[in-house]
Amino acid sequence: MPPSLLDTFRVLASFDPPRVSLRGAPWEEYVDWAIAQGLAPLAAYNLQYRLGGAAVPEWVRDRLLAIYQGSANDNVMKLVNFKQMVDDLQGRRLVLFGGAAFADSLYPHVAFRPVTELQLLMRRLDVDGFAGFLSNHEFKPEDAAGSGATKVVSDGRTLILLYSDVFGPQRKEQVSGILERARPMKMYGPSVFRADLEDALLLAVLEQARQGYEVPWLSFLDVRELVTGAKAMGGPYSRPVDVGALLARAAEWRLERALYTSLSIVARLFPEAAADATAAFPPLRRATRELLDRTVVGPVSTPGRSTALKGLERVRRLLTGQ
């Protein structure tokens, strides 16, 4: 039997793919879907260098390799430019999270994780000052609606989202905890930090929930690597998750339902990560778990799904407590 879309996804989204033939895989469906989901760079590398082609049509490799090269160039351009801007910035505490913080810490090659935008968390009092600093580098305000960010700026090439009240204006202590626990990212100078592992995982979960799980599947690779301790790397996220701390913060941040949902999706998509994901499940009532499984986890875990979740706004409120 030829591999299904889900089989093809699992093989090509692995950092250590099994040596299997992908002859007869649904390439016409997979290629466009993988590009849209941010999965093409890793898939291209696996096909070209790990699987020796895997009986794949030449057009598939050519198209995916073009995305791989573009991702590498785009990531380097964005991250080098950001470094040049902030390298000498003094006296700030800016916490980089999301794709830009994951590309070098979760993925064996920076090209594997396309960086669509830069996300930075900071004190509310620092948002206007840092936005003003960025304006000196030709960054101009953009519409922040629906992003959850306090401000969004762009220079036409790179979008930077500035967050402060990420849990709402009444929950500033939780943000202060993230800022205090963050670790230095010396490669970007003295003012840029990286969110601690448990905080990074919950921020990724919050982003997924805020978007009603209408997110690229690349986001589920992020969560997979965070909850399994980034075993392919030897960096800041390469350690076991402190499940006690994770669950305590999830409860404090009102993200227990969202954490269960994200980890359940990861457990379904990646059997090798299921043990780590389920070990970090928060203690929800059985009826709540069954509701989330039926209305969110099942539909979202279906590759190639073209219909949006029903009651998307209700899903957002249910999962984020906002």
Side-chain angles (χ1 to χ4, degrees):
M1 180 181 295
S4 66
L5 182 60
L6 181 59
D7 295 332
T8 306
F9 158 74
R10 283 174 171 162
V11 171
L12 297 181
S14 173
F15 293 161
D16 187 21
R19 300 285 297 187
V20 297
S21 172
L22 292 175
R23 188 182 302 276
W27 296 117
E28 293 285 351
E29 183 179 8
Y30 174 81
V31 170
D32 287 339
W33 176 78
I35 292 171
Q37 302 302 321
L39 303 168
L42 176 56
Y45 183 88
N46 279 336
L47 286 173
Q48 185 72 9
Y49 301 109
R50 302 296 297 274
L51 300 176
V56 174
E58 187 173 351
W59 71 267
V60 172
R61 282 184 291 161
D62 288 346
R63 190 161 178 211
L64 294 177
L65 280 170
I67 302 296
Y68 171 85
Q69 190 59 55
S71 175
N73 294 339
D74 188 59
N75 281 3
V76 169
M77 181 273 292
K78 284 188 172 88
L79 298 178
V80 168
N81 286 349
F82 179 65
K83 174 180 170 57
Q84 290 174 342
M85 286 190 296
V86 301
D87 202 30
D88 295 326
L89 186 64
Q90 302 284 337
R92 302 280 180 171
R93 197 170 186 89
L94 312 172
V95 177
L96 190 67
F97 66 99
F102 296 158
D104 71 324
S105 58
L106 300 182
Y107 293 81
H109 192 296
V110 70
F112 292 171
R113 208 303 176 185
V115 177
T116 54
E117 72 269 325
L118 276 65
Q119 297 171 285
L120 290 154
L121 180 67
M122 62 199 72
R123 297 185 309 155
R124 172 168 276 280
L125 291 174
D126 288 336
V127 172
D128 287 339
F130 188 58
F133 170 81
L134 292 175
S135 71
N136 296 325
H137 298 272
E138 301 183 358
F139 279 83
K140 299 179 181 179
E142 296 276 339
D143 183 12
S147 67
T150 305
K151 282 185 181 292
V152 177
V153 297
S154 173
D155 65 350
R157 297 171 299 175
T158 303
L159 198 68
I160 301 182
L161 291 85
L162 311 181
Y163 294 83
S164 56
D165 302 328
V166 70
F167 304 114
Q170 305 304 318
R171 296 159 68 189
K172 296 179 180 179
E173 289 183 6
Q174 287 87 340
V175 173
S176 295
I178 297 173
L179 297 177
E180 291 169 6
R181 289 186 294 267
R183 309 295 177 84
M185 288 187 76
K186 295 181 180 180
M187 62 183 291
Y188 292 121
S191 288
V192 179
F193 296 74
R194 190 194 312 267
D196 194 32
L197 172 57
E198 290 75 24
D199 292 336
L201 176 52
L202 286 172
L203 287 169
V205 165
L206 174 62
E207 178 67 17
Q208 292 176 345
R210 180 178 281 129
Q211 299 301 322
Y213 287 88
E214 296 296 328
V215 295
W217 275 36
L218 181 65
S219 178
F220 300 124
L221 269 68
D222 293 342
V223 173
R224 177 191 73 184
E225 293 306 306
L226 288 166
V227 77
T228 58
K231 294 182 176 70
M233 303 294 287
Y237 295 140
S238 298
R239 65 168 175 83
V241 170
D242 183 335
V243 173
L246 178 71
L247 295 182
R249 290 176 208 170
E252 182 185 2
W253 299 2
R254 304 177 192 173
L255 287 178
E256 290 175 296
R257 291 186 291 265
L259 178 61
Y260 172 82
T261 302
S262 295
L263 294 181
S264 294
I265 293 169
V266 165
R268 290 200 186 194
L269 296 182
F270 308 106
E272 71 279 10
D276 289 310
T278 56
F281 278 177
L284 299 181
R285 293 185 303 118
R286 179 178 177 181
T288 302
R289 296 196 306 269
E290 291 177 348
L291 174 65
L292 293 172
D293 288 342
R294 184 176 66 255
T295 60
V296 185
V297 177
V300 171
S301 302
T302 303
R305 178 177 57 92
S306 58
T307 57
L309 294 179
K310 294 180 180 179
L312 192 59
E313 189 57 39
R314 181 171 174 271
V315 170
R316 290 193 188 104
R317 292 197 302 270
L318 173 68
L319 295 172
T320 64
Q322 298 178 8

